[in-house]
């Protein structure tokens, strides 16, 4: 059994928490008033909006060293819905990994809406979590938590693929915001 | 009824041809030996690999002016499977549009494998074609051909979203090449 720390109690934090507990893994959930309580998890999920990530890092110096840290963000420009706020040849996950050289950073959960994580399904398909990262053991550990929670997991490759995962997340959000798809739908994966 | 010209008789050209004819639209299909025959279609689909697009343009000067031109390419570096060959802040479709200022360029069909276009389904889901472009009428015309052929179509936004469609196509190909998904599966969309 793994201990999963989730920082952030919004829709995504709660949905990922439901996956963790469905799978029988241990959960600690941190809200905004818990900044003074150190994380202890084998896996730490940063379930905060992209602009809040740096504040979490500043509040918790050194706490992520040696841990698996999961970036779930979609760094959209929410004023225009027309671009990301990270460099086109990089990703939010790559920027985070550069700030946390002693952590094993993964990108995951950014291509699945909260509703499909909580429900476990995208229409007729079981929800699939795409996981990108440079550490195979870290990816396997997170995949274990995901599959124990009743979802599917796919290793999407190295952390460089976070760029593509963030493009998918970006497009999916624009489609839902434009009412082309529902917030309970989106991209499903047929293996 | 629309006339659709497809340049390219590979897997994708044939699969898109099957969609056109299923929908009762008129088709003209151009192989490598047909370079001297001008296209006449309302919609012209460039169903050739990305490195061959410039040759098609050189063979057919002025022929695309005033027409709807559909870019289906995934400009992968097929030696590394680790990057695209177009600038990170652009797309193959944007580069094509710059070369064909008198055409209405759309991005479509690059997120659907040939097998799912021909079958009309991705697992339990009807295959959905994502269409990006700056001309609403052009997108509606192509969507009409797609839906007449039994598939679904979603307007994915402006031609700037081709960048995200190419990221999806890129990731999907790497997943299939890595045997994480099948060439008859991939991303499906639940509206």
């Amino acid at each position: 059994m793994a201990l999963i720390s989730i920082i952030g109690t919004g829709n995504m934090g709660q949905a990922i928490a439901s996956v963790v507990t469905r799978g029988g893994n241990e959960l600690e959930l941190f809200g905004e008033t818990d900044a003074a309580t150190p994380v202890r998890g084998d896996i730490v999920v940063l379930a905060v909006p992209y602009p809040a990530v740096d504040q979490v890092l500043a509040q918790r110096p050194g706490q992520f060293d040696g841990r698996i840290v999961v970036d779930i963000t979609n760094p959209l420009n929410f004023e225009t819905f027309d671009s990301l706020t990270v460099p086109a040849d990089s990703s939010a996950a790559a920027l985070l990994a550069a700030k946390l050289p002693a952590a094993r950073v993964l990108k995951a959960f950014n291509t699945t809406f909260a509703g499909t994580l909580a429900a476990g399904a995208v229409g007729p398909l079981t929800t699939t979590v795409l996981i990108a990262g440079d550490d195979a053991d870290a990816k396997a550990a997170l995949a274990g938590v995901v599959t124990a929670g009743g979802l599917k997991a796919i290793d999407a490759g190295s952390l460089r693929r976070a760029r593509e995962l963030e493009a998918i997340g970006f497009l999916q959000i624009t489609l839902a915001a434009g009412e082309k798809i529902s917030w309970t739908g989106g991209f499903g994966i047929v293996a």
Side-chain angles (χ1 to χ4, degrees), chain A:
Chain A
M1 194 170 76
L3 171 61
I4 316 301
S5 307
I6 299 179
I7 299 175
T9 56
N11 285 348
M12 286 297 292
Q14 290 181 42
I16 297 167
S18 76
V19 174
V20 170
T21 53
R22 280 204 302 271
N25 284 288
E26 195 182 350
L27 170 72
E28 55 177 22
L29 189 56
F30 296 87
E32 289 186 16
T33 58
D34 303 318
T37 310
V39 295
R40 296 177 300 119
D42 310 292
I43 299 173
V44 183
V45 180
L46 303 184
V48 298
Y50 181 67
V53 168
D54 279 344
Q55 183 183 352
V56 170
L57 267 52
Q59 286 171 340
R60 299 175 174 280
Q63 286 184 32
F64 302 109
D65 294 357
R67 301 185 201 277
I68 299 168
V69 175
V70 183
D71 168 35
I72 74 162
T73 63
N74 281 305
L76 265 72
N77 181 331
F78 282 102
E79 290 186 5
T80 66
F81 279 85
D82 197 35
S83 65
L84 296 178
T85 61
V86 295
D89 60 352
S90 185
S91 66
L95 298 179
L96 179 66
K99 292 172 184 169
L100 295 177
R104 292 180 287 171
V105 171
L106 303 178
K107 186 86 197 185
F109 298 115
N110 77 299
T111 65
T112 43
F113 288 144
T116 70
L117 288 171
V122 185
L125 300 172
T126 300
T127 301
T128 298
V129 176
L130 293 165
I131 304 173
D134 291 333
D135 186 296
D137 291 341
K139 287 191 280 192
L142 181 60
V145 172
V146 165
T147 55
L151 311 185
K152 293 182 179 176
I154 290 183
D155 179 349
S158 74
L159 199 64
R160 277 173 60 86
R161 290 293 80 71
R163 177 182 177 277
E164 284 68 45
L165 297 187
E166 292 175 15
I168 294 172
F170 171 21
L171 183 72
Q172 188 171 236
I173 288 170
T174 65
L175 293 177
E179 300 186 347
K180 309 292 174 60
I181 61 172
S182 138
W183 293 100
T184 57
F187 291 109
I189 300 179
V190 175

